[in-house]
Amino acid sequence: MVIRSVELEIVCGVTSRLPDTDKPEIAFAGKSNVGKSSLINGLMNRKALARTSSQPGKTQTINYYNINNCMYLVDLPGYGYTKANVSEKEKWGKMIERYLHSSKQLQAVFLLVDIRHEPSANDKQMYEWVVYQGYNPIIIATKLDKIKRSQIAKHVKMIKTGLNVKPETPVLPYSSLTKQGREEIWSLTDELLGLEEAVPKQSQGDSQGGKHEKK
C-alpha cells in the first residue's frame, strides 16, 4: 500500500462510545512495550504519529487512524503492564473486549509478540481471547533486529508453539529499526481488504472490504 494520507481521526477512552465506521478496520494488539507504537509509525511512514515511550502502558485509548480515506488502522491499548493496578488492567481489558465484540467493520487482528522470548501468559491469553471473539490472529514478531538472522526460524517456531497457533497462521517478523517486514504486513493487509491494486480511491474502501476468515 502506498501511504498518501494518514490522520488520527477518532480517540476513544474507557467511557467513550465506540464509533460505527464506514470503512474496513484492521486492529493491532500487543503487550505493553512490545513495540506497537513504533510499528504503527513505521507502517505509516511517520516518525511520531503514534506516541512511543520507554515507559510501558502509554496507549490507554483506542485510536483510529484513517489511512488514504479507505481504511482504519485501530491501535488497541497495550496489555500486561505489570505496574498498572488491577482496576486499570480491568478497564483496558474491557475496552479491548468491547471493541472486538462490537466492531462491525473489523476485518483482521494483528497480535504483536516479542520475537526474542517465548510468548508470555498475557500473550497466550490475548491470542485465545481474540480467537474466542471469532478471529484468527495474524502474528507480528517484533524486535527482529535484536536477534541474529540465523535465529529467526527457530524463534518463529518458538512463537507458533508457545501460542499453539493454527498451522496456516502467518507469523511476520518485523524490525522497527530497519523496517524489515513492513512490505509483507501491507501486502497481507491489501489482500485481506481487497486492495491488492493499492490504488487508494475514496470509494474503493467502501466497496471492497476483504473479510478475514472468522472462526
Side-chain angles (χ1 to χ4, degrees), residues 141-159:
T142 62
K143 303 184 186 289
L144 176 61
D145 48 277
K146 302 295 185 181
I147 65 172
K148 297 178 180 178
R149 183 181 295 272
S150 60
Q151 297 176 309
I152 295 175
K154 175 184 176 182
H155 283 244
V156 167
K157 182 178 180 181
M158 177 180 71
I159 290 172

Side-chain angles (χ1 to χ4, degrees), residues 6 14 49 59 89 102 117 127 130 136 147 169 176 190:
V6 177
V14 174
L49 189 59
T59 305
K89 290 180 181 179
S102 64
H117 312 297
Y127 178 82
V130 175
N136 298 325
I147 65 172
T169 300
S176 62
D190 288 342

Side-chain angles (χ1 to χ4, degrees), residues 89-142:
K89 290 180 181 179
E90 288 180 350
K91 288 178 182 178
W92 300 346
K94 287 178 180 178
M95 285 177 68
I96 297 172
E97 183 178 21
R98 188 157 56 101
Y99 172 76
L100 293 176
H101 185 69
S102 64
S103 174
K104 298 176 182 177
Q105 295 286 354
L106 181 59
Q107 307 297 307
V109 178
F110 288 82
L111 178 61
L112 280 63
V113 179
D114 190 328
I115 197 171
R116 299 173 296 177
H117 312 297
E118 291 188 12
S120 66
N122 281 314
D123 292 326
K124 296 174 184 178
Q125 183 181 37
M126 177 57 70
Y127 178 82
E128 293 169 358
W129 197 7
V130 175
V131 170
Y132 180 76
Q133 296 295 335
Y135 296 89
N136 298 325
I138 298 159
I139 311 301
I140 298 179
T142 62

Side-chain angles (χ1 to χ4, degrees), residues 1 26 107-108 110 138 170 183-198 208-212:
M1 177 178 289
I26 58 170
Q107 307 297 307
F110 288 82
I138 298 159
E183 295 306 316
E184 288 79 3
I185 294 169
W186 274 128
S187 178
L188 181 55
T189 299
D190 288 342
E191 181 181 344
L192 291 169
L193 301 187
L195 303 172
E196 291 92 342
E197 293 181 359
Q208 297 182 351
K211 277 283 186 181
H212 181 49

Side-chain angles (χ1 to χ4, degrees), residues 52-112:
T52 60
S53 173
S54 59
Q55 178 185 352
K58 270 295 182 182
T59 305
Q60 300 180 20
T61 54
I62 298 178
N63 300 327
Y64 291 70
Y65 295 93
N66 184 334
I67 300 178
N68 294 343
N69 204 33
C70 70
M71 62 166 286
Y72 284 105
L73 188 158
V74 182
D75 182 13
L76 300 175
Y79 58 84
Y81 178 36
T82 55
K83 293 185 179 180
N85 61 45
V86 174
S87 63
E88 285 181 318
K89 290 180 181 179
E90 288 180 350
K91 288 178 182 178
W92 300 346
K94 287 178 180 178
M95 285 177 68
I96 297 172
E97 183 178 21
R98 188 157 56 101
Y99 172 76
L100 293 176
H101 185 69
S102 64
S103 174
K104 298 176 182 177
Q105 295 286 354
L106 181 59
Q107 307 297 307
V109 178
F110 288 82
L111 178 61
L112 280 63

